[in-house]
């Protein structure tokens, strides 16, 4: 896996093929990319944008994200390489706001990336999250967003 730069655009190349990062538009675009032979990283903005407020992407919605879209043929599921989540910070005024946007949703996205959807249980996840929440509180990452989840 390596990156090629061309005219200030970057392409991610894997085994001589392009990897498509889906982030916006109709989810059918994922199927079209797979039909053309591409692997896909699913970063659907309606679930994975950390800079969206909790009112748009609540914690439980973030946790519910499945990088493998509904209706994808079983044979094509291996073409979904995983997920990504983005934190666009150009309008983020300070570190407190950055921490507010990222924590604890980053843990939900991590679990989405490495746990198959049929093995995810929100209530169990919430219990397991308590230990890391205490660490994040000590570091000052969790403050006002505690009432958001």
């Amino acid at each position: 896996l390596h990156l090629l730069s061309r005219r200030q655009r970057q392409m991610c190349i894997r085994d001589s093929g392009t990897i498509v990062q889906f982030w916006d538009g109709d989810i059918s675009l994922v199927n079209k990319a797979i039909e053309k032979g591409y692997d896909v990283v699913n970063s659907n903005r309606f679930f994975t944008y950390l800079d969206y407020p909790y009112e748009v992407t609540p914690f439980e919605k973030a946790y519910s994200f499945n990088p493998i879209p509904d209706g994808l043929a079983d044979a094509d599921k291996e073409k979904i390489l995983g997920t990504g989540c983005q934190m666009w910070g150009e309008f983020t005024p300070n570190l407190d706001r950055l921490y507010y946007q990222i924590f604890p949703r980053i843990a939900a996205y991590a679990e989405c990336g490495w746990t198959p959807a049929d093995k995810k249980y929100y209530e169990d996840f919430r219990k397991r999250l308590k230990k890391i929440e205490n660490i994040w509180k000590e570091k000052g990452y969790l403050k006002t967003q505690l009432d958001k989840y």
Side-chain angles (χ1 to χ4, degrees):
L1 182 66
H2 62 280
L3 293 175
L4 295 178
S5 180
R6 177 184 284 154
R7 293 187 197 151
Q8 298 183 6
R9 291 176 136 185
Q10 291 187 340
M11 298 173 16
C12 189
I13 304 298
R14 179 175 175 246
D15 301 328
S16 301
T18 300
I19 297 172
V20 173
Q21 182 177 19
F22 173 78
W23 59 274
D24 194 20
D26 190 282
I27 198 72
S28 67
L29 294 172
V30 171
N31 291 328
K32 288 179 183 178
I34 289 172
E35 287 170 11
K36 292 181 179 184
Y38 299 119
D39 291 337
V40 175
V41 172
N42 188 351
S43 303
N44 186 330
R45 72 180 176 95
F46 295 110
F47 290 89
T48 66
Y49 272 32
L50 289 161
D51 52 304
Y52 285 6
Y54 283 86
E55 294 75 23
V56 174
T57 310
F59 185 68
E60 193 166 355
K61 179 181 179 182
Y63 183 80
S64 75
F65 181 60
N66 183 358
I68 299 173
D70 289 338
L72 190 65
D74 286 342
D76 292 335
K77 290 179 180 177
E78 68 182 27
K79 301 295 280 180
I80 303 294
L81 301 180
T83 187
C85 55
Q86 296 67 234
M87 175 60 212
W88 299 103
E90 65 270 28
F91 299 112
T92 306
N94 54 47
L95 275 177
D96 282 343
R97 184 62 187 192
L98 183 76
Y99 296 152
Y100 173 85
Q101 292 299 118
I102 293 174
F103 297 98
R105 290 187 292 187
I106 193 73
Y109 294 129
E111 181 126 330
C112 292
W114 65 56
T115 304
D118 64 340
K119 303 274 192 240
K120 286 174 36 184
Y121 303 99
Y122 182 71
E123 293 306 321
D124 180 60
F125 173 71
R126 290 299 310 263
K127 289 177 190 170
R128 290 182 285 115
L129 190 62
K130 291 294 181 199
K131 189 173 185 177
I132 192 73
E133 280 178 339
N134 291 331
I135 294 169
W136 288 341
K137 285 177 193 173
E138 288 173 13
K139 294 184 176 288
Y141 301 158
L142 290 180
K143 293 178 184 173
T144 58
Q145 71 270 48
L146 289 170
D147 65 339
K148 300 292 183 186
Y149 68 102

